[in-house]
Amino acid sequence: MSRLFRYLEPAYLSGLIEDPCLIVRDRPIHRSIMIDCGSLHHLAKRELKPVMAIFVSHAHMDHFMGFDAFVRQVHASPRTIEMFGPPGFAARVSARLNGYDWNLCEPYWCSFIVREIHSDRTVSFEFHGPSAFRCEEAGEQHRTGDLIYRHNHIEVSARLFDHGIPVLAFRVNERKIFGIDAGKLAEYGLVQGEWLRELKKRYFREWAQDEPISVTKMAGGCRVAEPVADAEALYAVVCAAEIPAGIGYVTDIGFSPENREGVVSFLQGVELLVCECAFLKADMHKARASRHLCTKDLNELLDRLRPRLFLAIHLSKTYLDRSEELYAELSPPPGTKIIRIPEHVAPRPVYSCDVTRLNSDRFPQ
Ligand SMILES: [Zn+2]
């Protein structure tokens, strides 16, 4: 999947019928984000350590139960991990963290910053390891637009959908690189110079500096310096138009007209769509009753979104050994390629007889 993106590297770490977990790596800095933490017990510590933020669609068990495995691997390291979830999410995180005794906590342990995404605001909470992960309120911010997270090359947007409970869908965009349109420079009488280097510096510092920037212009056949008050606004005018490469992640939504139209507008233009397909067409009534998607719904979404790649996830466990039927029912439009994955990627469960065989020297049968 990595060739779609310049810096991002998505990896789906679960099987088709296993509980979902998508990792998106920011390759140049060896860091990653995780979307849903369903089943993590099979993952190497090296996959979990670079995760700097976790995005949870909703706290149904199959999307969140891997959180404990994550905490087990990272809790004793000095770092802060951001977590994002729907309204009520902080109480779920708190309940999980408070399910253990932390009397042995140390000053260097990790912290979690949990951000609940409401339609109009973001409400934050902190859980510091050195304070035994006690929940502390950390204020709220008015929310405009879909963007909820930005780090290096990764930008994540989120929107709420209905699954009987609120569910977040995510869009991960590869943050666009700094680029200038030479035609626009000429149009505004601007000429290249040292000021573009300064503009680039401010871009990567996310416009933290707010003093005017001195640009070079042509006036009366001469180059003149001119202050421009708003460097960010100037960049918006002269930047090269670039559509960022994107990944859409949708799971556990009913196929109501509101959800359907919302997903189509939110994920328009994504290169890779990762989407739940819990049921086959014949079981559409089960999909409607449990507010999930079936293959017929997916075919409609694919036709309208037309991603370059589509990865179906989260097939109901009732279809064990029947995944071929899922792929047979999916009919993507021209230009969309289906990524096939195995039903299982985690090692098979262990039986007691496997263990007693290993122990046979010490415990003769
Ligand atoms: Zn669910």
Side-chain angles (χ1 to χ4, degrees), residues 58 60 62-63 163 252 292:
H58 63 304
H60 275 162
D62 45 348
H63 298 262
H163 173 47
D252 294 44
H292 282 89

PDB file of all heavy atoms in Angstrom, residues 58 60 62-63 163 252 292, ligand 1:
ATOM      1  N   HIS A  58     -15.158   3.847  18.265  1.00  0.00           N
ATOM      2  CA  HIS A  58     -16.135   3.763  19.352  1.00  0.00           C
ATOM      3  C   HIS A  58     -15.664   2.678  20.298  1.00  0.00           C
ATOM      4  O   HIS A  58     -14.767   1.901  19.967  1.00  0.00           O
ATOM      5  CB  HIS A  58     -17.539   3.484  18.816  1.00  0.00           C
ATOM      6  CG  HIS A  58     -17.707   2.170  18.095  1.00  0.00           C
ATOM      7  ND1 HIS A  58     -16.923   1.812  17.011  1.00  0.00           N
ATOM      8  CD2 HIS A  58     -18.553   1.124  18.295  1.00  0.00           C
ATOM      9  CE1 HIS A  58     -17.301   0.614  16.567  1.00  0.00           C
ATOM     10  NE2 HIS A  58     -18.271   0.175  17.335  1.00  0.00           N
ATOM     11  N   HIS A  60     -17.076  -0.043  21.519  1.00  0.00           N
ATOM     12  CA  HIS A  60     -17.515  -1.439  21.513  1.00  0.00           C
ATOM     13  C   HIS A  60     -16.265  -2.300  21.672  1.00  0.00           C
ATOM     14  O   HIS A  60     -15.183  -1.966  21.165  1.00  0.00           O
ATOM     15  CB  HIS A  60     -18.255  -1.783  20.208  1.00  0.00           C
ATOM     16  CG  HIS A  60     -19.711  -1.438  20.255  1.00  0.00           C
ATOM     17  ND1 HIS A  60     -20.489  -1.318  19.124  1.00  0.00           N
ATOM     18  CD2 HIS A  60     -20.549  -1.201  21.311  1.00  0.00           C
ATOM     19  CE1 HIS A  60     -21.733  -1.014  19.470  1.00  0.00           C
ATOM     20  NE2 HIS A  60     -21.787  -0.934  20.796  1.00  0.00           N
ATOM     21  N   ASP A  62     -14.931  -4.933  20.462  1.00  0.00           N
ATOM     22  CA  ASP A  62     -14.084  -5.399  19.359  1.00  0.00           C
ATOM     23  C   ASP A  62     -13.228  -4.295  18.742  1.00  0.00           C
ATOM     24  O   ASP A  62     -12.373  -4.573  17.904  1.00  0.00           O
ATOM     25  CB  ASP A  62     -14.927  -6.112  18.281  1.00  0.00           C
ATOM     26  CG  ASP A  62     -16.196  -5.377  17.922  1.00  0.00           C
ATOM     27  OD1 ASP A  62     -16.565  -4.428  18.641  1.00  0.00           O
ATOM     28  OD2 ASP A  62     -16.824  -5.729  16.922  1.00  0.00           O
ATOM     29  N   HIS A  63     -13.446  -3.044  19.155  1.00  0.00           N
ATOM     30  CA  HIS A  63     -12.639  -1.937  18.626  1.00  0.00           C
ATOM     31  C   HIS A  63     -11.710  -1.333  19.671  1.00  0.00           C
ATOM     32  O   HIS A  63     -10.917  -0.458  19.363  1.00  0.00           O
ATOM     33  CB  HIS A  63     -13.551  -0.836  18.062  1.00  0.00           C
ATOM     34  CG  HIS A  63     -14.381  -1.331  16.921  1.00  0.00           C
ATOM     35  ND1 HIS A  63     -14.040  -1.121  15.615  1.00  0.00           N
ATOM     36  CD2 HIS A  63     -15.511  -2.075  16.918  1.00  0.00           C
ATOM     37  CE1 HIS A  63     -14.935  -1.705  14.836  1.00  0.00           C
ATOM     38  NE2 HIS A  63     -15.836  -2.287  15.601  1.00  0.00           N
ATOM     39  N   HIS A 163     -24.370   4.726  14.938  1.00  0.00           N
ATOM     40  CA  HIS A 163     -24.292   3.259  15.017  1.00  0.00           C
ATOM     41  C   HIS A 163     -25.141   2.802  16.222  1.00  0.00           C
ATOM     42  O   HIS A 163     -24.840   1.830  16.889  1.00  0.00           O
ATOM     43  CB  HIS A 163     -22.799   2.913  15.198  1.00  0.00           C
ATOM     44  CG  HIS A 163     -22.470   1.479  15.464  1.00  0.00           C
ATOM     45  ND1 HIS A 163     -22.979   0.421  14.744  1.00  0.00           N
ATOM     46  CD2 HIS A 163     -21.635   0.920  16.386  1.00  0.00           C
ATOM     47  CE1 HIS A 163     -22.463  -0.714  15.222  1.00  0.00           C
ATOM     48  NE2 HIS A 163     -21.659  -0.441  16.218  1.00  0.00           N
ATOM     49  N   ASP A 252     -18.595   0.296  11.394  1.00  0.00           N
ATOM     50  CA  ASP A 252     -19.759   0.252  12.276  1.00  0.00           C
ATOM     51  C   ASP A 252     -20.651   1.481  12.136  1.00  0.00           C
ATOM     52  O   ASP A 252     -20.871   2.229  13.080  1.00  0.00           O
ATOM     53  CB  ASP A 252     -19.310   0.072  13.734  1.00  0.00           C
ATOM     54  CG  ASP A 252     -18.656  -1.274  13.967  1.00  0.00           C
ATOM     55  OD1 ASP A 252     -17.834  -1.671  13.120  1.00  0.00           O
ATOM     56  OD2 ASP A 252     -18.959  -1.929  14.979  1.00  0.00           O
ATOM     57  N   HIS A 292     -24.735  -1.985  10.735  1.00  0.00           N
ATOM     58  CA  HIS A 292     -23.469  -2.269  10.077  1.00  0.00           C
ATOM     59  C   HIS A 292     -23.685  -2.158   8.565  1.00  0.00           C
ATOM     60  O   HIS A 292     -24.792  -1.880   8.106  1.00  0.00           O
ATOM     61  CB  HIS A 292     -22.974  -3.685  10.419  1.00  0.00           C
ATOM     62  CG  HIS A 292     -22.352  -3.791  11.771  1.00  0.00           C
ATOM     63  ND1 HIS A 292     -23.077  -4.065  12.902  1.00  0.00           N
ATOM     64  CD2 HIS A 292     -21.063  -3.676  12.191  1.00  0.00           C
ATOM     65  CE1 HIS A 292     -22.269  -4.106  13.952  1.00  0.00           C
ATOM     66  NE2 HIS A 292     -21.035  -3.873  13.553  1.00  0.00           N
TER      67      HIS A 292
HETATM   68 ZN    ZN B   1     -19.751  -1.443  17.002  1.00  0.00          ZN
END
